[in-house]
Amino acid sequence: MTSVPTPIPSRTQFVLEEIKRRILTGRLTPGQALVETDLAAQFGVSKTPVREALKTLAGTGLVVMSQYKGVTVRMVDADMAREVYDVRLLLEPEALKRAVTRGASLDAAQAALTRADEATDTAERSLANREFHRALYLPCGNPLLGRMLDEVRDQAALVSAVAWAADPSWEREAAEHREILRLALAGDADGAGRALHAHIASFVRRAFPEAEPLTEDQVQDQEGQA
C-alpha cells in the first residue's frame, strides 16, 4: 500500500519557503546560525513551525543540525560542490536529451530564460535560473529521474549562490543557457546534452577549481561500465 505524504501546515510551509529563499539568494550565508526564537519573531509565528521547517531543510541538505552548534546554514566547499555537480553531470544532460527526443514542450524553459534576462536583482535572476534548469529536465518522461534531480536542486543552488557572490558570471551563463535552449528547440538532442554538460562542468570548474568535476569522457566511461 502506497503511503500518502503528510501535508505541511501552511505556516510551516511559509517559513520553510522564506528561509530557503533567503539561503538560496545569499541573504543567509553558509555557516550562519539559524536561531528559532529570532526566526519566529521575524515571521510572526511560534517556534513550532520554525522548528519543523528547519528539520525539513536539514533533510534537503541546506542546513545542518548540531547538538552543540545548533542549526546553521550548510557550509559549501569543494567536496560538496563535487558531489552535487557529479550528480548533475551524470543525470541532467541525459534528462534533457530525453526531453528533446520525445518532443516535449520547452515553453517553461523559454519563460524562465526571459525572466532571468529581465530580472532586476540577484535574487530574481537566481530563482529564474533554477527554474530554467528544472524546465529542461522535468519533461524527460521519467518521473523518477526528475525527482532525483529535484533532490539535489537546492544544494546545487546553494553552491551557485556562494560562487556568484564571489565571482558573478551571469552574462556568460545566460549566453550558455540561450545556446542550450537553441539546440534543444532545434531538435538536436545530442548537441543540447553536450552543451548542458559543458555548461555545468565549466561553472563548477570556475567556482571551485579543486573540485575537478567529471569530464564528458569520464561520464561516458562510467556509463559504459554500468
Side-chain angles (χ1 to χ4, degrees):
M1 179 176 179
T2 303
S3 61
V4 178
T6 302
I8 299 177
S10 58
R11 289 186 179 181
T12 299
Q13 188 66 43
F14 165 73
V15 173
L16 171 66
E17 293 301 326
E18 185 56 31
I19 295 175
K20 180 191 292 188
R21 180 184 177 88
R22 294 183 183 188
I23 291 172
L24 299 182
T25 57
R27 288 183 60 188
L28 293 172
T29 57
Q32 184 170 341
L34 301 175
V35 182
E36 287 183 11
T37 52
D38 292 346
L39 292 170
Q42 289 178 37
F43 299 131
V45 299
S46 69
K47 291 195 296 183
T48 299
V50 173
R51 185 177 303 117
E52 293 305 312
L54 292 176
K55 287 180 181 177
T56 299
L57 291 170
T60 65
L62 282 183
V63 306
V64 176
M65 290 183 162
S66 168
Q67 181 178 354
Y68 304 103
K69 295 182 179 180
V71 184
T72 57
V73 179
R74 183 174 181 177
M75 295 294 294
V76 175
D77 57 20
D79 287 340
M80 177 202 174
R82 171 62 188 269
E83 290 175 5
V84 172
Y85 275 73
D86 270 0
V87 173
R88 293 189 65 193
L89 285 167
L90 287 165
L91 300 183
E92 262 191 66
E94 177 61 26
L96 174 57
K97 287 193 289 185
R98 293 186 180 198
V100 174
T101 299
R102 67 194 298 263
S105 171
L106 295 175
D107 289 348
Q110 181 64 72
L113 192 58
T114 300
R115 288 199 303 274
D117 287 340
E118 296 174 350
T120 57
D121 60 34
T122 301
E124 288 181 21
R125 190 178 291 114
S126 174
L127 294 172
N129 280 347
R130 294 180 71 222
E131 289 306 313
F132 173 77
H133 277 274
R134 189 168 192 259
L136 293 180
Y137 68 69
L138 205 58
C140 67
N142 184 328
L144 177 58
L145 179 54
R147 288 196 299 272
M148 291 172 69
L149 283 164
D150 272 348
E151 286 182 4
V152 298
R153 184 168 173 248
D154 288 344
Q155 294 179 54
L158 179 57
V159 174
S160 298
V162 171
W164 286 326
D167 181 23
S169 54
W170 299 108
E171 293 305 319
R172 173 172 177 171
E173 288 163 46
E176 292 172 354
H177 284 175
R178 285 190 285 271
E179 177 62 9
I180 292 166
L181 186 58
R182 183 190 70 79
L183 291 166
L185 291 174
D188 186 352
D190 289 336
R194 286 193 298 270
L196 179 57
H197 186 282
H199 167 68
I200 296 170
S202 66
F203 177 81
V204 74
R205 189 179 298 116
R206 293 194 307 271
F208 297 91
E210 63 274 37
E212 298 180 356
L214 294 176
T215 65
E216 188 170 6
D217 288 341
Q218 289 173 318
V219 172
Q220 293 174 349
D221 287 343
Q222 286 192 359
E223 291 173 346
Q225 294 169 7

